[in-house]
Amino acid sequence: MNRAAPWLLTASGYDDAVFVRPLDQLAAILERAPFTGTGDEHTYRETFTFFDSDQEFGAPLPWTNDRGDVRIIEIGGGVALSIIKRIATRAGSPTAEVEARLKVPATTRPPGRSSACSSVSPSR
């Protein structure tokens, strides 16, 4: 991973937390269609939040934060699946919720970007 980090930074221009996951892991999640039936008129975005931790989330799932703008529907294998709600002018932050509960860095992406950014050619 240490050899891949400079290449990822150059290729993406992104210098925040980055977690690489196998494309087949993300494809398997998407094939299950986990977001089907989870949204409503306040749904802003469906998201993947990536982090490195095996510890328990510490709350039953699905879980909704106190503001009601983040609903985590599934968590495991370093990935939390969430629904972000827009309430008035504010949208929730699954990253902040995962980081606060698990005390680890995290980063959140919508499904379209998650799969596009998850695979790195071993020849690079």
Side-chain angles (χ1 to χ4, degrees):
M1 187 54 143
N2 288 338
R3 290 186 350 207
W7 181 84
L8 288 169
L9 177 60
T10 301
S12 69
Y14 189 74
D15 64 355
D16 198 2
V18 175
F19 301 97
V20 178
R21 298 290 185 258
L23 189 56
D24 59 340
Q25 178 188 10
L26 300 177
I29 293 170
L30 289 172
E31 284 175 12
R32 291 189 286 103
F35 296 111
T36 301
T38 59
D40 62 24
E41 68 276 4
H42 298 289
T43 298
Y44 173 65
R45 185 171 286 157
E46 300 163 341
T47 65
F48 287 86
T49 299
F50 301 99
F51 57 93
D52 282 332
S53 176
D54 291 332
Q55 71 186 71
E56 295 292 321
F57 185 67
L61 298 176
W63 173 86
T64 302
N65 68 353
D66 291 339
R67 288 186 310 274
D69 57 5
V70 173
R71 181 175 173 93
I72 297 178
I73 60 172
E74 185 177 310
I75 192 166
V79 181
L81 306 181
S82 304
I83 304 296
I84 299 175
K85 306 261 183 164
R86 182 180 294 272
I87 299 173
T89 60
R90 180 184 172 116
S93 172
T95 301
E97 299 295 344
V98 168
E99 288 180 340
R101 292 189 73 86
L102 299 182
K103 308 290 188 234
V104 296
T107 188
T108 300
R109 300 287 174 270
R113 284 192 173 162
S114 300
S115 60
C117 296
S118 64
S119 179
V120 177
S121 169
S123 65
R124 300 207 179 200

